Amino acid sequence: MGESELIGLIRSRDENGMTELLRRYGPLMRYIISPILTDERDRQECLSDAAMRAWDGIEKFDPDTGSFRTWLSAITRNTAINRRRTSKNSESDISDNFPAPESGPEDKMLRLERAEALKKAMQTLSNADCALFYRKYYYMQSASQMAAELGMTERAVEGRLYRIKKKLRRALGGEYVE
């Protein structure tokens, strides 16, 4: 079964589409969730939540803007991060009576400018360095996991990440990257 057939099954709400989605993309989704959530029960619930978000949001998928795999990876990552945030918030002592701080238009504009600057700075990196940076700061993988998968030592991964951040700092004028 091809990717377009899978998407068609999901769009037609055929249950075989969900089964095939989890069979084909479940390992990738678990791989993305694993470094973000430590509790196995949270991981399983997150996998289910991410699959349901993909199922419910399939109409938003546009093959002209990117691949299904990339779209599903972003949904999975965001679902895992949201689950981690909510579990941290439920453990905190902060009262629910306080309103969430609203960001004004200036904050939104600054975030957009920073994102654009980072995007330009990322284009100065090699593909390998860019991939390593994303694995660490987007997919939140540990240095030990990256080292094992890339055939490097943890120290080599950490050193390379340090040099990448240093290069990005220079490209960004010394701000934004910690």
Side-chain angles (χ1 to χ4, degrees), residues 60-151:
K60 296 176 187 169
F61 171 66
D62 180 8
D64 294 334
T65 59
S67 72
F68 181 74
R69 181 184 176 103
T70 302
W71 180 77
L72 184 62
S73 294
I75 286 175
T76 304
R77 175 191 173 272
N78 292 340
T79 302
I81 288 172
N82 288 342
R83 178 169 284 280
R84 187 175 74 180
R85 277 188 200 132
T86 57
S87 69
K88 282 185 179 179
N89 287 342
S90 65
E91 295 170 3
S92 70
D93 295 329
I94 298 176
S95 171
D96 291 334
N97 297 330
F98 292 108
E102 296 291 326
S103 62
E106 299 88 10
D107 293 334
K108 289 179 184 175
M109 186 58 113
L110 281 173
R111 266 196 312 276
L112 287 173
E113 288 175 0
R114 287 178 180 156
E116 188 60 36
L118 181 58
K119 188 176 178 182
K120 286 181 183 176
M122 291 289 290
Q123 292 172 348
T124 66
L125 298 176
S126 69
N127 287 342
D129 284 350
C130 193
L132 193 66
F133 186 84
Y134 271 107
R135 288 179 77 158
K136 176 66 176 175
Y137 297 105
Y138 186 78
Y139 291 110
M140 298 179 187
Q141 294 179 347
S142 66
S144 60
Q145 180 182 0
M146 289 185 286
E149 292 174 2
L150 297 173

Side-chain angles (χ1 to χ4, degrees), residues 29 31 41-42 45 49-50 52 57 61 71 74-75 94 102 106 110-111 123 143 146 149 151 157 160 168-169 176 178:
M29 295 168 75
Y31 178 79
R41 191 175 58 196
D42 280 346
E45 289 176 14
D49 290 348
M52 284 307 299
F61 171 66
W71 180 77
I75 286 175
I94 298 176
E102 296 291 326
E106 299 88 10
L110 281 173
R111 266 196 312 276
Q123 292 172 348
M146 289 185 286
E149 292 174 2
V157 168
R160 205 159 142 199
L168 288 174
R169 271 192 204 102
Y176 309 131
E178 293 181 6

Side-chain angles (χ1 to χ4, degrees), residues 9-22:
L9 284 176
I10 296 172
R11 283 194 170 141
S12 66
R13 301 297 182 205
D14 186 331
E15 290 182 22
N16 292 326
M18 179 63 83
T19 304
E20 184 64 18
L21 172 77
L22 290 172

